Amino acid sequence: MHQIDRRAWAVSRPNKPADLDEVSWEARVRDEIAAIDPGLVAARAPIVIDAADIDTLDLDLLAAMALVDADERSTSSGGRFSRFDIRAGATRALSRTGIVAPRDQLDDVIAEIGARAAKSVVRLVAAGAPPHVKAFMATETVRAKMRLAGRLDALAAPGRSLLPGELRRLASNEDVSILDASQNVAACAIAGTDGLVTVTGPAGTGKTTMLRTAFHALTAQRRRMLVVAPTRKAASVAAQEIRTAAASIHALLADHGYRWSTDEAGAKVWMRLAVGDADPMMGGKYGGPAHWLLRGRDRIVVDEAGMVDLQTANVLIELALEHRVGLAFVGDPYQALPVGHAGAMASAIRHANASVELDTVHRFRDPEYAALTLRLRDAGDREHALAVAGELAQRGHLERVDHHDAARERMIDAYFDWHARGKRVTLVSGTNAEADAINDAIQQRRVDQGELDASIVAWGMGEQRILVGDTVQTRRNDRLTGVDNRAQWIVRGIHDEFVMLASVSDSGELRHIPHDYAREHLQLAYASTVHGVR
């Protein structure tokens, strides 16, 4: 499929000269390749493929792989998939075996794999639904949703929120008067004794200010607050802004003995180590939690909770129940969804003892635009959605283009417009491939304009070219070098042993990463996906 995409792009992309002779163009490219190395275009002997025998296939394993494939691709539809999705998963699973056989035999095998996979699903509608209707859900996903509901129900032990006067007294070193009404209610709920609290609201509604007040009120009660987030980068930001202990969710779970891996079919599986068990992740024996001890009445605050997937939420709530600590989910369910199955935040809202909606945006100077951002989150029906879109266009927040290539060029131009004024701009794309295209184009234009020197090169993920002066992001937490996943940097130097990075927010914060890390986990970051920005 990638070859077909590339061929289609080469043959019919917009703005390509209409009089271009494809045959002569292909010959020219071939001649240029031959000038570099004649061996690259020389005739070669056919390669004998070591094909798998159709009778040796493990059809049950392939059915499990097909189901995992359909389930992973169903996250945008609430975990629902169709018979066509199951067949597509069966086809992809079979393609990875290396089998070579006539088409009619392959069709029979694919049908058998699909039939076996269909035995491990839950039917959501009556029998006889058309094959394109998303009428099925993986049994394990259904179990995860039911398990989550039960655990949330158990976690929601009744307590009470603080009274406003109690909040002012307990958080006396914070100016509680700056909180609006909804922030005040949220801080009282988190610092209270309800087992499960949810706080929702868009960016700019003062969640950080509210959490800082709740932290001081909890501390005055000799209770601890631990902030966890889907990524270590988000946790680091929370630690700095709230001035409390913070960790990524997975770091907390790993500290308490949880381990995760993928099984033979590609499904994510969790396990729990007991003290003294051999630790396959860290080596040696697991000695129990060492960094984040939990005790009754503590409060775990889950920041960016809308991005927590179903499986991770299940394990986190299990841990909270075990240690009798309260949970507070804080986030915006209308923003970026998790990479895995969504629904944890919405389920928490339904089961919460106290659920608070922050309804005042403090971030923008223009109150009309602040109100518009609230309407943008949940426009309701089509009529109201069109009204919001019309107002955004009228205020100059939208640009209409004829093709996605024109949109890409406009985004690239916007980067240089803001860059020339010494300002940063965030470019957001829908896919990693689109982000890579924008990143490569911006880098090349900077080279053409003399801003970057292409004579000294490091190599990033997917053999992406990295130059001194590039904006990049690290894509894996690394304790040895001190970098976080999704942290952004400016390349300050490329040396024989390492690449020197400086934080985009603090030029004095320097890191040295080895070239091996760069090749596996460093990429350009002029543009990013929605999840990357979040």
Side-chain angles (χ1 to χ4, degrees), residues 91-261:
T91 304
R92 279 186 283 267
L94 184 61
S95 70
R96 292 195 286 271
T97 66
I99 188 172
V100 177
R103 176 62 182 266
D104 57 343
Q105 293 185 31
L106 294 179
D107 283 340
D108 291 341
V109 174
I110 291 171
E112 177 61 23
I113 294 171
R116 296 191 184 202
K119 296 178 181 178
S120 299
V121 302
V122 174
R123 185 185 296 276
L124 304 176
V125 299
H132 68 279
V133 174
K134 296 186 182 297
F136 307 98
M137 185 176 291
T139 302
E140 187 52 41
T141 300
V142 173
R143 288 173 179 165
K145 293 189 176 189
M146 295 175 64
R147 195 181 303 124
L148 179 69
R151 288 175 176 170
L152 285 169
D153 196 45
L155 183 65
R160 73 172 183 89
S161 297
L162 294 182
L163 298 174
E166 292 175 316
L167 181 68
R168 287 193 297 271
R169 175 174 57 81
L170 293 170
S172 57
N173 51 347
E174 283 288 310
D175 186 3
V176 180
S177 65
I178 66 173
L179 301 181
D180 63 41
S182 60
Q183 287 175 302
N184 212 304
V185 172
C188 286
I190 292 176
T193 55
D194 282 320
L196 178 60
V197 175
T198 62
V199 179
T200 58
T205 49
K207 291 189 286 288
T208 300
T209 302
M210 176 274 298
L211 286 175
R212 196 159 49 237
T213 302
F215 163 67
H216 287 293
L218 285 164
T219 302
Q221 300 173 67
R222 298 185 179 180
R223 298 165 61 193
R224 293 177 298 184
M225 185 170 88
L226 171 65
V227 177
V228 296
T231 65
R232 195 169 82 174
K233 178 186 176 185
S236 299
V237 172
Q240 294 171 5
E241 294 183 344
I242 303 172
R243 297 187 291 275
T244 185
S248 71
I249 297 175
H250 285 79
L252 171 65
L253 296 175
D255 193 43
H256 283 264
Y258 289 95
R259 299 293 183 266
W260 52 93
S261 60

Side-chain angles (χ1 to χ4, degrees), residues 263-430:
D263 64 15
E264 196 176 6
K268 188 174 184 179
V269 293
W270 290 80
M271 61 173 290
R272 181 83 181 274
L273 298 177
V275 174
D277 286 349
D279 190 340
M281 181 183 294
M282 305 301 295
K285 292 185 177 181
Y286 173 63
H291 301 290
W292 295 286
L293 300 176
L294 300 173
R295 64 189 184 194
R297 299 182 67 246
D298 285 348
R299 177 73 76 185
I300 297 177
V301 174
V302 186
D303 197 18
E304 302 290 358
M307 296 183 68
V308 180
D309 67 89
L310 209 59
Q311 286 186 322
T312 305
N314 255 310
V315 180
L316 178 63
I317 295 166
E318 179 183 69
L319 179 66
L321 287 169
E322 177 184 315
H323 291 275
R324 300 179 184 176
V325 301
L327 274 182
F329 285 81
V330 180
D332 185 359
Y334 293 108
Q335 293 189 12
L337 296 175
V339 175
H341 285 291
M345 180 73 172
S347 188
I349 293 171
R350 290 194 297 270
H351 289 82
N353 305 104
S355 185
V356 184
E357 173 83 16
L358 301 181
D359 54 12
T360 303
V361 178
H362 302 273
R363 178 167 295 175
F364 307 110
R365 295 189 182 95
D366 182 351
E368 292 184 0
Y369 181 69
L372 179 60
T373 63
L374 291 176
R375 291 164 51 208
L376 180 63
R377 293 175 67 242
D378 186 15
D381 56 27
R382 174 179 170 81
E383 181 181 351
H384 287 90
L386 289 174
V388 171
E391 190 170 345
L392 284 169
Q394 185 178 10
R395 294 174 65 94
H397 298 299
L398 296 179
E399 288 197 34
R400 302 185 66 174
V401 293
D402 296 328
H403 194 273
H404 73 270
D405 292 327
R408 179 190 298 172
E409 287 301 318
R410 183 64 194 94
M411 292 176 72
I412 294 169
D413 291 341
Y415 168 83
F416 284 96
D417 290 343
W418 286 79
H419 185 62
R421 288 180 276 164
K423 296 182 178 293
R424 293 175 58 195
V425 60
T426 300
L427 303 180
V428 185
S429 68

